[in-house]
């Protein structure tokens, strides 16, 4: 169970939350999320909160599009997965203009410190993330049936990620996923209109920054994916994504890496500096040189 989950699945939610404030909280030892702003939650503020040992995303905006969720989960799990009274419920709207600030996260035991799945104008700033066990520190992800990102920019600013990133949970294989401390994932479509600035990535377990794609070529055998997801993932790209004033120190593998066709579109790199990465500054994963728009001031990769 999560500590604070804002929003509910239809038919129980008839209108999204707007203008909520969560302030001066302390959250410990949850089985799931710490604070999740879900299902159209907008114009809300979370500040001065400390979260430790959460069992899923510690602080997250999930801009769920209900009709897509119903379509995709019904395809994967069968007609009985969604209750009959909820199957044709209306969408709850885009989650936008939420602010997380002055948030401290320590030791999430499953998933991330900070995550954003779709929506626009959301802000995460002036915060810290330490000792992530199985996932990135920051995950920016088109996944879980979200509304698209943009057009208003979502921002991550003035954040430190210390010892973030880890192997994928429940993947006890010889070569488990190795999540970067800051991860971008084109799982179900494009990522656009994102600014990440003034970020210190210190001692990441694996890479400092990871760009990962998805699509027909990367779908695991035996798993069911709605054809629309694979179609959108196959053509997904990065657009209007800027990384500015980022330092990556002592990465366990690469400073920056691209995996599974994640080098599509273009990302702006402005003063992104890598030092002392164990395997090298950059693993380009076959991405074209045009993917890396090197604005100025970049070092070490």
């Amino acid at each position: 169970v999560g500590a604070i989950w804002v929003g509910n699945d239809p038919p129980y939610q008839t209108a999204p939350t707007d203008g909520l404030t969560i302030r001066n909280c302390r959250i410990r030892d949850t089985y799931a999320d710490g604070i999740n702003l879900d299902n159209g939650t907008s114009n809300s503020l979370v500040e001065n909160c400390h979260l430790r040992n959460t069992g899923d995303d510690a602080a997250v905006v999930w801009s769920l599009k209900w009709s897509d969720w119903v379509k995709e989960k019904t395809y994967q799990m069968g007609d009985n997965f969604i209750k009959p009274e909820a199957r044709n419920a209306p969408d709850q709207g885009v989650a936008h203009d939420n602010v997380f600030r002055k948030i401290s996260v320590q030791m999430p035991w499953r998933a991330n410190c900070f995550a954003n799945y779709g929506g626009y104008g959301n802000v995460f700033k002036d915060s810290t993330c330490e000792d992530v066990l199985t996932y990135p520190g920051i995950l920016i992800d088109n996944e879980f049936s979200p509304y698209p990102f943009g057009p208003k920019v979502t921002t991550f600013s003035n954040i430190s990620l210390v010892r973030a990133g880890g192997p994928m949970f429940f993947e006890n294989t010889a070569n488990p996923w190795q999540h970067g401390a800051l991860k971008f994932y084109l799982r179900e479509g494009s990522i656009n209109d994102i600014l990440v600035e003034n970020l210190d990535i210190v001692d990441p377990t694996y890479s400092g920054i990871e760009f990962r794609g998805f699509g027909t070529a990367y779908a695991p055998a035996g798993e069911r994916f709605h054809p629309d997801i694979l179609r959108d993932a196959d053509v997904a790209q990065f657009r209007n994504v800027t990384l500015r004033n980022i330092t990556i120190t002592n990465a366990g593998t690469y400073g920056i890496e691209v995996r599974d066709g994640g080098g599509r579109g273009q990302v702006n790199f402005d003063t992104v500096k890598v030092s002392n990465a164990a395997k090298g500054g950059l693993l380009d994963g076959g991405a074209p040189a045009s993917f890396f728009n090197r604005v100025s001031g970049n070092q070490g990769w």
Side-chain angles (χ1 to χ4, degrees):
V1 179
I4 301 175
W5 186 291
V6 183
N8 203 345
D9 290 344
Y12 307 106
Q13 176 172 307
T14 58
T17 299
D18 188 86
L20 175 69
T21 296
I22 301 170
R23 179 180 289 132
N24 301 335
C25 63
R26 184 173 65 180
I27 293 171
R28 299 285 187 272
D29 306 333
T30 61
Y31 283 103
D33 300 62
I35 302 172
N36 190 320
L37 305 185
D38 179 32
N39 251 352
T41 301
S42 297
N43 301 306
S44 294
L45 170 66
V46 183
E47 66 177 357
N48 296 336
C49 290
H50 185 273
L51 302 94
R52 187 169 65 206
N53 202 37
T54 57
D56 212 322
D57 300 317
V60 55
V61 175
W62 180 13
S63 186
L64 172 68
K65 188 174 183 181
W66 179 252
S67 57
D68 282 353
W69 179 260
V70 171
K71 175 185 68 176
E72 289 151 11
K73 288 302 177 184
T74 299
Y75 183 86
Q76 288 180 320
M77 309 298 293
D79 291 339
N80 294 324
F81 185 79
I82 304 293
K83 294 180 179 180
E85 61 269 28
R87 290 174 194 163
N88 296 313
D91 292 330
Q92 297 298 300
V94 181
H96 65 87
D97 294 298
N98 299 292
V99 176
F100 285 89
R101 68 186 182 203
K102 298 183 179 178
I103 309 298
S104 176
V105 181
Q106 295 175 309
M107 297 182 293
W109 60 268
R110 174 172 168 170
N112 324 276
C113 289
F114 309 108
N116 199 124
Y117 308 104
Y120 64 84
N122 298 299
V123 175
F124 298 75
K125 66 179 182 179
D126 305 333
S127 297
T128 60
C129 166
E130 298 175 286
D131 296 307
V132 183
L133 297 182
T134 65
Y135 236 56
I138 294 174
L139 178 61
I140 302 169
D141 186 4
N142 190 322
E143 191 176 8
F144 307 120
S145 309
Y147 284 91
F149 287 94
K152 186 176 180 180
V153 170
T154 285
T155 302
F156 292 77
S157 178
N158 193 27
I159 298 172
S160 62
L161 306 179
V162 181
R163 296 177 298 276
M168 181 68 172
F169 53 78
F170 295 146
E171 191 172 339
N172 297 317
T173 64
N175 297 295
W177 277 19
Q178 298 180 345
H179 296 290
L182 165 62
K183 179 171 181 172
F184 297 83
Y185 194 12
L186 303 172
R187 174 74 174 198
E188 296 178 12
S190 295
I191 292 176
N192 49 275
D193 303 305
I194 303 291
L195 171 63
V196 181
E197 64 178 357
N198 304 327
L199 201 70
D200 288 325
I201 302 174
V202 181
D203 298 337
T205 305
Y206 301 116
S207 62
I209 304 173
E210 177 191 359
F211 300 92
R212 187 176 288 268
F214 189 63
T216 305
Y218 306 102
E223 293 189 28
R224 288 174 59 83
F225 296 92
H226 195 284
D228 291 352
I229 288 179
L230 296 179
R231 177 202 64 203
D232 292 344
D234 283 339
V235 298
Q237 295 189 353
F238 291 99
R239 300 187 305 273
N240 191 28
V241 174
T242 297
L243 308 182
R244 179 184 299 139
N245 295 332
I246 296 177
T247 60
I248 303 165
T249 308
N250 300 329
T253 56
Y254 299 94
I256 302 165
E257 71 169 333
V258 182
R259 296 280 186 181
D260 294 352
R264 289 172 282 174
Q266 187 176 79
V267 174
N268 304 311
F269 294 82
D270 184 351
T271 317
V272 178
K273 299 179 180 181
V274 177
S275 61
N276 200 36
K279 291 187 177 181
L282 173 65
L283 179 69
D284 67 17
S290 59
F291 176 75
F292 307 95
N293 181 26
R294 301 172 186 248
V295 178
S296 66
N298 300 294
Q299 296 178 11
W301 57 282

